[in-house]
Amino acid sequence: MIIDATDLLVGRMASFAAKQALLGEKIDIINCEKAVISGNTHEILAKYKQKQQRGIPSKGPFIHRMPDAFVKRIIRNMLPYKQD
């Protein structure tokens, strides 16, 4: 399945992609850099800046700057990783 992320909200697109991945489909997302993060711009940037300043560069937390890695991390966090 190919998803074009142009003008899509990142959270809604990621939840759809995560559900499809749980069903066993292969997901390809194109134009990740054109996806939109909703909310107040200043608050969003302040949150990530504070998270980046919290640690040290060698130990993390690691914030991805590439759009594809950023979206991949969002989708990965929506998938279950502990199987009982």
Coordinates of all heavy atoms in Angstrom, one line a residue:
M1 N 0.9 -1.2 0.0 CA 0.0 0.0 0.0 C 0.9 1.2 0.0 O 1.8 1.3 0.8 CB -0.9 0.0 1.2 CG -1.7 1.3 1.4 SD -2.7 1.3 2.9 CE -4.0 0.3 2.2
I2 N 0.6 2.2 -0.8 CA 1.4 3.4 -0.9 C 0.5 4.5 -0.4 O -0.6 4.7 -0.8 CB 1.8 3.7 -2.4 CG1 2.7 2.6 -2.9 CG2 2.5 5.1 -2.5 CD1 3.1 2.7 -4.3
I3 N 1.0 5.3 0.5 CA 0.3 6.5 1.1 C 1.1 7.7 0.7 O 2.3 7.8 1.0 CB 0.2 6.3 2.7 CG1 -0.5 5.1 3.0 CG2 -0.5 7.6 3.3 CD1 -0.5 4.8 4.5
D4 N 0.3 8.7 0.1 CA 0.9 10.0 -0.2 C 0.6 10.9 1.0 O -0.5 11.2 1.3 CB 0.3 10.5 -1.4 CG 1.0 11.8 -1.9 OD1 2.0 12.2 -1.3 OD2 0.4 12.5 -2.8
A5 N 1.7 11.4 1.7 CA 1.5 12.1 2.9 C 1.4 13.6 2.7 O 1.3 14.4 3.6 CB 2.8 11.9 3.8
T6 N 1.2 14.0 1.5 CA 1.1 15.5 1.2 C -0.2 16.0 1.8 O -1.3 15.5 1.6 CB 1.0 15.7 -0.4 OG1 2.1 15.1 -1.0 CG2 0.9 17.2 -0.7
D7 N 0.0 17.0 2.7 CA -1.1 17.7 3.4 C -2.0 16.8 4.3 O -3.1 17.1 4.6 CB -2.0 18.4 2.4 CG -1.3 19.5 1.6 OD1 -0.4 20.1 2.2 OD2 -1.7 19.8 0.4
L8 N -1.4 15.7 4.7 CA -2.1 14.9 5.7 C -1.6 15.2 7.1 O -0.4 15.5 7.3 CB -1.9 13.4 5.4 CG -2.5 12.8 4.1 CD1 -2.1 11.3 4.0 CD2 -4.0 13.0 4.1
L9 N -2.4 15.0 8.1 CA -2.0 15.1 9.5 C -1.2 13.9 9.9 O -1.5 12.8 9.6 CB -3.2 15.3 10.4 CG -4.0 16.5 10.3 CD1 -5.2 16.5 11.2 CD2 -3.1 17.7 10.7
V10 N 0.0 14.1 10.5 CA 0.9 13.1 10.8 C 0.3 12.0 11.7 O 0.4 10.8 11.4 CB 2.2 13.6 11.4 CG1 3.1 12.5 11.8 CG2 2.9 14.5 10.4
G11 N -0.4 12.4 12.7 CA -1.0 11.5 13.6 C -2.0 10.6 13.0 O -2.1 9.4 13.3
R12 N -2.9 11.2 12.3 CA -4.0 10.4 11.6 C -3.4 9.4 10.6 O -3.8 8.3 10.5 CB -5.0 11.3 11.0 CG -5.8 12.0 12.1 CD -6.8 13.0 11.4 NE -7.5 13.8 12.4 CZ -8.7 13.6 12.9 NH1 -9.4 12.6 12.4 NH2 -9.2 14.3 13.8
M13 N -2.4 9.9 9.8 CA -1.8 9.1 8.8 C -1.1 7.9 9.5 O -1.1 6.8 9.0 CB -0.9 9.9 7.9 CG -0.1 9.1 6.9 SD 1.4 9.8 6.3 CE 2.3 10.1 7.8
A14 N -0.4 8.2 10.6 CA 0.4 7.2 11.3 C -0.5 6.1 11.9 O -0.1 5.0 11.9 CB 1.3 7.9 12.3
S15 N -1.6 6.6 12.4 CA -2.5 5.6 13.1 C -3.1 4.6 12.0 O -3.2 3.4 12.2 CB -3.6 6.2 13.8 OG -4.5 7.0 13.0
F16 N -3.4 5.2 10.8 CA -3.9 4.4 9.7 C -2.8 3.4 9.2 O -3.1 2.2 9.0 CB -4.4 5.3 8.6 CG -4.8 4.5 7.4 CD1 -6.1 3.9 7.4 CD2 -4.0 4.4 6.2 CE1 -6.5 3.1 6.3 CE2 -4.4 3.7 5.1 CZ -5.7 3.0 5.1
A17 N -1.6 3.9 9.1 CA -0.5 3.1 8.6 C -0.2 2.0 9.7 O 0.1 0.8 9.3 CB 0.7 3.9 8.4
A18 N -0.3 2.3 11.0 CA 0.0 1.3 12.0 C -1.1 0.2 12.0 O -0.8 -1.0 12.1 CB 0.0 2.0 13.4
K19 N -2.3 0.6 11.8 CA -3.4 -0.4 11.7 C -3.2 -1.3 10.5 O -3.4 -2.6 10.6 CB -4.8 0.3 11.6 CG -5.2 0.9 12.9 CD -6.5 1.6 12.8 CE -6.9 2.3 14.0 NZ -8.2 3.1 13.8
Q20 N -2.8 -0.8 9.4 CA -2.6 -1.6 8.2 C -1.4 -2.5 8.4 O -1.4 -3.7 7.9 CB -2.4 -0.7 7.0 CG -3.6 0.1 6.6 CD -4.8 -0.8 6.3 OE1 -4.7 -1.8 5.6 NE2 -6.0 -0.4 6.8
A21 N -0.4 -2.0 9.1 CA 0.8 -2.8 9.4 C 0.5 -4.0 10.3 O 1.0 -5.1 10.1 CB 1.9 -2.0 10.0
L22 N -0.4 -3.8 11.2 CA -0.9 -4.9 12.1 C -1.6 -5.9 11.4 O -1.6 -7.1 11.8 CB -1.7 -4.3 13.3 CG -1.0 -3.6 14.4 CD1 -2.0 -3.0 15.3 CD2 0.0 -4.5 15.1
L23 N -2.3 -5.5 10.3 CA -3.0 -6.5 9.5 C -2.1 -7.2 8.5 O -2.5 -8.1 7.8 CB -4.1 -5.8 8.7 CG -5.2 -5.2 9.5 CD1 -6.2 -4.4 8.6 CD2 -6.0 -6.3 10.3
G24 N -0.8 -6.9 8.5 CA 0.1 -7.6 7.6 C 0.4 -6.9 6.3 O 1.1 -7.6 5.5
E25 N 0.0 -5.7 6.0 CA 0.3 -5.1 4.8 C 1.6 -4.4 4.8 O 2.1 -4.0 5.8 CB -0.8 -4.0 4.5 CG -2.2 -4.7 4.1 CD -2.9 -3.9 3.0 OE1 -2.2 -3.3 2.2 OE2 -4.1 -4.0 3.0
K26 N 2.2 -4.3 3.6 CA 3.5 -3.6 3.5 C 3.1 -2.1 3.2 O 2.3 -1.8 2.3 CB 4.3 -4.1 2.3 CG 5.6 -3.5 2.2 CD 6.4 -4.1 1.0 CE 7.8 -3.5 0.8 NZ 7.9 -2.1 0.8
I27 N 3.6 -1.2 3.9 CA 3.3 0.2 3.8 C 4.5 1.0 3.3 O 5.6 0.9 3.8 CB 2.9 0.8 5.2 CG1 1.8 0.0 5.9 CG2 2.5 2.2 5.1 CD1 0.5 -0.1 5.2
D28 N 4.2 1.8 2.3 CA 5.2 2.7 1.7 C 4.6 4.1 1.8 O 3.5 4.4 1.3 CB 5.5 2.4 0.3 CG 6.3 1.1 0.1 OD1 7.1 0.8 1.0 OD2 6.1 0.4 -0.9
I29 N 5.3 5.1 2.5 CA 4.8 6.4 2.6 C 5.7 7.3 1.8 O 6.9 7.3 2.0 CB 4.8 6.8 4.1 CG1 3.8 5.9 4.8 CG2 4.3 8.3 4.2 CD1 3.8 6.1 6.3
I30 N 5.1 8.1 0.9 CA 5.9 9.0 0.1 C 5.6 10.4 0.5 O 4.5 10.7 1.1 CB 5.7 8.8 -1.4 CG1 4.2 8.9 -1.8 CG2 6.2 7.4 -1.8 CD1 3.9 8.9 -3.3
N31 N 6.5 11.4 0.2 CA 6.3 12.8 0.5 C 6.1 13.0 2.0 O 5.3 13.8 2.4 CB 5.2 13.4 -0.3 CG 5.4 13.4 -1.7 OD1 6.6 13.5 -2.2 ND2 4.4 13.3 -2.5
C32 N 6.9 12.4 2.9 CA 6.9 12.6 4.3 C 7.1 14.0 4.7 O 6.6 14.5 5.7 CB 7.9 11.7 5.0 SG 7.4 9.9 5.0
E33 N 8.0 14.7 4.0 CA 8.3 16.1 4.3 C 7.2 17.0 4.1 O 7.2 18.2 4.6 CB 9.6 16.5 3.5 CG 9.3 16.7 2.0 CD 9.5 15.4 1.3 OE1 9.8 14.3 1.9 OE2 9.4 15.4 0.1
K34 N 6.1 16.6 3.4 CA 5.0 17.5 3.2 C 3.8 17.2 4.1 O 2.8 17.8 4.0 CB 4.5 17.3 1.7 CG 5.6 17.8 0.7 CD 5.1 17.6 -0.7 CE 6.1 18.0 -1.7 NZ 5.7 17.8 -3.1
A35 N 4.0 16.3 5.1 CA 3.0 16.0 6.0 C 2.9 17.2 7.1 O 3.9 17.9 7.2 CB 3.2 14.7 6.7
V36 N 1.8 17.3 7.7 CA 1.5 18.4 8.6 C 1.4 17.9 10.0 O 0.7 16.9 10.3 CB 0.2 19.2 8.2 CG1 -0.1 20.3 9.1 CG2 0.3 19.6 6.7
I37 N 2.0 18.6 11.0 CA 1.8 18.4 12.4 C 0.9 19.4 12.9 O 1.2 20.6 12.8 CB 3.2 18.4 13.1 CG1 4.1 17.3 12.6 CG2 3.0 18.2 14.6 CD1 5.5 17.4 13.2
S38 N -0.2 19.0 13.5 CA -1.2 20.0 13.9 C -0.9 20.6 15.3 O -0.1 19.9 16.1 CB -2.6 19.4 14.0 OG -2.6 18.4 15.0
G39 N -1.3 21.8 15.6 CA -1.1 22.4 16.9 C -0.4 23.7 16.7 O -0.1 24.2 15.6
N40 N -0.1 24.3 17.9 CA 0.5 25.6 17.9 C 2.0 25.4 17.6 O 2.7 24.6 18.2 CB 0.4 26.2 19.3 CG 0.9 27.6 19.4 OD1 1.5 28.1 18.4 ND2 0.7 28.3 20.5
T41 N 2.5 26.1 16.6 CA 3.9 25.9 16.1 C 4.9 26.2 17.2 O 5.9 25.4 17.4 CB 4.1 26.9 14.9 OG1 3.1 26.7 13.9 CG2 5.5 26.6 14.3
H42 N 4.7 27.2 18.0 CA 5.7 27.6 19.0 C 5.7 26.5 20.1 O 6.8 26.2 20.6 CB 5.3 29.0 19.6 CG 5.4 30.1 18.6 ND1 6.6 30.5 18.1 CD2 4.5 30.8 18.1 CE1 6.4 31.4 17.2 NE2 5.1 31.7 17.2
E43 N 4.6 26.0 20.5 CA 4.5 24.9 21.5 C 5.2 23.6 21.0 O 5.9 23.0 21.8 CB 3.1 24.6 21.9 CG 2.5 25.8 22.7 CD 1.0 25.5 23.1 OE1 0.6 24.3 22.8 OE2 0.4 26.4 23.6
I44 N 5.0 23.3 19.8 CA 5.5 22.1 19.2 C 7.0 22.2 19.2 O 7.8 21.3 19.6 CB 5.0 21.8 17.8 CG1 3.5 21.4 17.9 CG2 5.7 20.6 17.1 CD1 2.8 21.4 16.6
L45 N 7.5 23.3 18.6 CA 9.0 23.5 18.6 C 9.6 23.6 19.9 O 10.7 23.1 20.1 CB 9.3 24.7 17.7 CG 8.9 24.6 16.2 CD1 9.2 26.0 15.6 CD2 9.6 23.5 15.5
A46 N 9.0 24.2 20.9 CA 9.5 24.3 22.2 C 9.6 22.9 22.9 O 10.5 22.6 23.6 CB 8.6 25.2 23.1
K47 N 8.6 22.1 22.6 CA 8.6 20.7 23.2 C 9.8 19.9 22.7 O 10.5 19.3 23.5 CB 7.3 20.0 22.8 CG 7.2 18.6 23.4 CD 5.9 17.9 23.1 CE 6.0 17.3 21.7 NZ 4.9 16.5 21.4
Y48 N 10.0 20.0 21.4 CA 11.1 19.2 20.8 C 12.5 19.8 21.2 O 13.5 19.1 21.4 CB 11.0 19.1 19.3 CG 10.0 18.0 18.9 CD1 8.8 18.4 18.4 CD2 10.2 16.7 19.1 CE1 7.8 17.5 18.1 CE2 9.2 15.8 18.8 CZ 8.0 16.2 18.3 OH 7.1 15.2 18.0
K49 N 12.6 21.1 21.3 CA 13.8 21.8 21.7 C 14.1 21.4 23.2 O 15.3 21.1 23.5 CB 13.7 23.3 21.6 CG 15.0 24.0 21.8 CD 14.8 25.5 21.5 CE 16.2 26.2 21.7 NZ 16.1 27.6 21.4
Q50 N 13.1 21.4 24.0 CA 13.3 21.0 25.4 C 13.7 19.5 25.5 O 14.6 19.2 26.3 CB 12.0 21.3 26.2 CG 12.1 21.1 27.7 CD 11.6 19.7 28.2 OE1 10.9 19.1 27.5 NE2 11.9 19.3 29.4
K51 N 13.1 18.7 24.7 CA 13.5 17.3 24.7 C 14.9 17.0 24.3 O 15.6 16.2 24.8 CB 12.5 16.5 23.8 CG 12.6 15.0 24.0 CD 11.7 14.3 23.0 CE 10.3 14.4 23.4 NZ 9.4 13.5 22.6
Q52 N 15.3 17.8 23.3 CA 16.7 17.7 22.8 C 17.7 18.2 23.8 O 18.8 17.7 23.9 CB 16.8 18.5 21.4 CG 18.1 18.2 20.7 CD 18.1 18.9 19.4 OE1 17.3 19.9 19.1 NE2 18.9 18.4 18.4
Q53 N 17.4 19.3 24.5 CA 18.3 19.8 25.5 C 18.4 19.0 26.8 O 19.3 19.2 27.6 CB 17.9 21.3 25.8 CG 18.1 22.2 24.7 CD 17.6 23.6 25.0 OE1 16.9 23.8 26.0 NE2 17.9 24.6 24.2
R54 N 17.5 18.1 26.9 CA 17.4 17.3 28.2 C 18.6 16.4 28.3 O 19.2 16.2 29.4 CB 16.1 16.5 28.2 CG 15.9 15.6 29.4 CD 14.7 14.8 29.3 NE 13.5 15.7 29.0 CZ 12.5 15.3 28.3 NH1 12.4 14.0 27.8 NH2 11.5 16.1 28.1
G55 N 19.0 15.8 27.2 CA 20.1 14.8 27.3 C 21.4 15.3 26.8 O 21.6 16.5 26.7
I56 N 22.3 14.4 26.5 CA 23.6 14.8 25.9 C 23.7 14.1 24.5 O 23.1 13.0 24.3 CB 24.8 14.4 26.8 CG1 24.8 12.9 27.1 CG2 24.7 15.2 28.0 CD1 25.9 12.5 27.9
P57 N 24.4 14.6 23.6 CA 24.4 14.1 22.2 C 24.9 12.6 22.1 O 24.4 11.9 21.2 CB 25.4 15.0 21.5 CG 25.4 16.3 22.2 CD 25.2 15.9 23.6
S58 N 25.7 12.2 23.0 CA 26.2 10.8 22.8 C 25.3 9.8 23.4 O 25.3 8.6 23.0 CB 27.6 10.7 23.5 OG 27.5 10.9 24.9
K59 N 24.4 10.2 24.3 CA 23.5 9.2 25.0 C 22.0 9.4 24.7 O 21.2 8.5 25.1 CB 23.8 9.2 26.5 CG 25.1 8.8 26.9 CD 25.3 8.7 28.4 CE 26.6 8.2 28.8 NZ 26.8 8.2 30.2
G60 N 21.6 10.5 24.1 CA 20.2 10.7 23.8 C 19.5 11.5 24.8 O 20.1 12.0 25.7
P61 N 18.2 11.8 24.6 CA 17.4 11.2 23.6 C 17.7 11.7 22.2 O 18.1 12.8 22.0 CB 16.0 11.7 24.0 CG 16.2 13.0 24.7 CD 17.6 12.8 25.4
F62 N 17.5 10.8 21.2 CA 17.8 11.1 19.8 C 16.6 11.6 19.1 O 15.6 10.8 19.0 CB 18.4 9.9 19.2 CG 19.7 9.4 19.9 CD1 19.6 8.3 20.6 CD2 20.8 10.2 19.8 CE1 20.8 7.8 21.3 CE2 22.0 9.7 20.5 CZ 21.9 8.5 21.2
I63 N 16.6 12.8 18.6 CA 15.5 13.4 17.8 C 15.9 13.3 16.4 O 16.9 13.9 16.0 CB 15.1 14.8 18.3 CG1 15.0 14.9 19.8 CG2 13.9 15.3 17.5 CD1 13.8 14.2 20.3
H64 N 15.1 12.7 15.5 CA 15.4 12.6 14.1 C 15.1 13.9 13.4 O 14.0 14.5 13.7 CB 14.7 11.4 13.5 CG 15.1 10.1 14.0 ND1 16.3 9.5 13.8 CD2 14.4 9.2 14.8 CE1 16.3 8.3 14.4 NE2 15.2 8.2 15.1
R65 N 16.0 14.3 12.6 CA 15.7 15.5 11.8 C 15.2 15.2 10.4 O 14.7 16.1 9.7 CB 17.0 16.4 11.7 CG 17.4 16.9 13.1 CD 18.5 17.9 12.9 NE 18.8 18.5 14.2 CZ 19.6 19.6 14.3 NH1 20.2 20.0 13.3 NH2 19.7 20.1 15.5
M66 N 15.5 14.0 9.9 CA 15.0 13.6 8.6 C 13.6 13.3 8.7 O 13.1 12.6 9.6 CB 15.8 12.4 8.1 CG 17.3 12.7 7.9 SD 18.2 11.3 7.3 CE 18.0 10.1 8.6
P67 N 12.8 13.8 7.7 CA 11.3 13.6 7.8 C 10.9 12.1 7.8 O 10.0 11.7 8.5 CB 10.7 14.3 6.6 CG 11.8 15.0 6.0 CD 13.1 14.6 6.6
D68 N 11.6 11.3 7.0 CA 11.2 9.9 6.9 C 11.5 9.2 8.2 O 10.7 8.4 8.7 CB 11.9 9.2 5.7 CG 13.4 9.3 5.8 OD1 13.9 10.2 6.5 OD2 14.1 8.5 5.2
A69 N 12.6 9.5 8.9 CA 12.9 8.8 10.1 C 12.0 9.3 11.2 O 11.6 8.6 12.1 CB 14.3 9.1 10.5
F70 N 11.6 10.6 11.2 CA 10.6 11.2 12.1 C 9.3 10.5 12.1 O 8.7 10.0 13.1 CB 10.5 12.7 11.8 CG 9.8 13.4 12.9 CD1 10.4 13.8 14.1 CD2 8.4 13.8 12.7 CE1 9.7 14.5 15.0 CE2 7.8 14.5 13.6 CZ 8.4 14.9 14.8
V71 N 8.8 10.3 10.8 CA 7.5 9.6 10.6 C 7.6 8.1 11.0 O 6.7 7.6 11.6 CB 7.0 9.8 9.2 CG1 5.7 9.0 8.9 CG2 6.7 11.3 9.0
K72 N 8.7 7.5 10.7 CA 8.9 6.1 11.0 C 8.8 5.9 12.5 O 8.3 4.9 13.0 CB 10.2 5.6 10.4 CG 10.5 4.2 10.6 CD 11.8 3.8 10.0 CE 12.2 2.3 10.3 NZ 13.5 2.0 9.7
R73 N 9.4 6.8 13.2 CA 9.5 6.7 14.7 C 8.0 6.9 15.3 O 7.7 6.2 16.2 CB 10.4 7.8 15.3 CG 10.4 7.9 16.7 CD 11.2 6.8 17.3 NE 11.3 6.9 18.8 CZ 12.3 6.5 19.5 NH1 13.3 6.0 19.0 NH2 12.3 6.7 20.8
I74 N 7.3 7.8 14.7 CA 5.9 8.0 15.2 C 5.1 6.7 14.9 O 4.3 6.3 15.8 CB 5.3 9.2 14.4 CG1 5.9 10.5 14.9 CG2 3.8 9.2 14.7 CD1 5.5 11.7 14.1
I75 N 5.2 6.1 13.8 CA 4.5 4.9 13.5 C 4.9 3.7 14.3 O 4.1 2.9 14.8 CB 4.6 4.5 12.0 CG1 3.9 5.6 11.1 CG2 3.9 3.2 11.7 CD1 4.1 5.5 9.6
R76 N 6.2 3.6 14.5 CA 6.8 2.5 15.3 C 6.3 2.6 16.8 O 6.0 1.5 17.4 CB 8.3 2.6 15.3 CG 8.9 1.3 15.9 CD 10.4 1.4 16.0 NE 10.7 2.3 17.2 CZ 11.9 2.7 17.5 NH1 12.9 2.4 16.7 NH2 12.1 3.4 18.5
N77 N 6.1 3.8 17.3 CA 5.6 3.9 18.7 C 4.1 3.6 18.8 O 3.6 3.4 19.9 CB 5.9 5.3 19.2 CG 7.3 5.6 19.5 OD1 8.1 4.6 19.7 ND2 7.7 6.8 19.5
M78 N 3.4 3.5 17.7 CA 2.0 3.1 17.7 C 1.8 1.6 17.6 O 0.7 1.1 17.8 CB 1.2 3.8 16.6 CG 1.1 5.3 16.7 SD 0.1 5.9 15.5 CE 0.1 7.7 15.9
L79 N 2.9 0.9 17.4 CA 2.8 -0.6 17.2 C 3.1 -1.3 18.6 O 4.0 -0.8 19.3 CB 3.7 -1.1 16.1 CG 3.4 -0.6 14.7 CD1 4.5 -1.0 13.8 CD2 2.0 -1.2 14.3
P80 N 2.4 -2.3 18.9 CA 2.8 -3.0 20.1 C 4.1 -3.8 20.0 O 4.4 -4.3 18.9 CB 1.6 -4.0 20.3 CG 1.1 -4.3 18.9 CD 1.3 -3.0 18.2
Y81 N 4.9 -3.7 21.0 CA 6.2 -4.4 21.0 C 6.4 -5.5 22.0 O 7.2 -6.3 22.0 CB 7.4 -3.4 21.0 CG 7.5 -2.6 22.3 CD1 8.3 -3.1 23.3 CD2 6.7 -1.5 22.5 CE1 8.4 -2.4 24.5 CE2 6.8 -0.8 23.7 CZ 7.6 -1.2 24.7 OH 7.7 -0.5 25.9
K82 N 5.5 -5.5 23.0 CA 5.6 -6.5 24.1 C 4.4 -7.5 23.8 O 3.3 -7.1 23.9 CB 5.4 -5.8 25.5 CG 6.6 -5.0 25.9 CD 6.4 -4.6 27.3 CE 7.6 -3.8 27.8 NZ 7.5 -3.4 29.2
Q83 N 4.8 -8.7 23.6 CA 3.8 -9.7 23.3 C 3.8 -10.7 24.5 O 4.8 -11.3 24.9 CB 4.2 -10.5 22.0 CG 4.2 -9.7 20.8 CD 2.9 -9.1 20.4 OE1 1.9 -9.7 20.6 NE2 2.9 -7.9 19.9
D84 N 2.7 -10.9 25.1 CA 2.6 -11.8 26.3 C 2.1 -13.1 25.9 O 1.4 -13.3 25.0 CB 1.6 -11.2 27.3 CG 2.2 -9.9 28.0 OD1 3.4 -9.8 27.9 OD2 1.4 -9.2 28.5

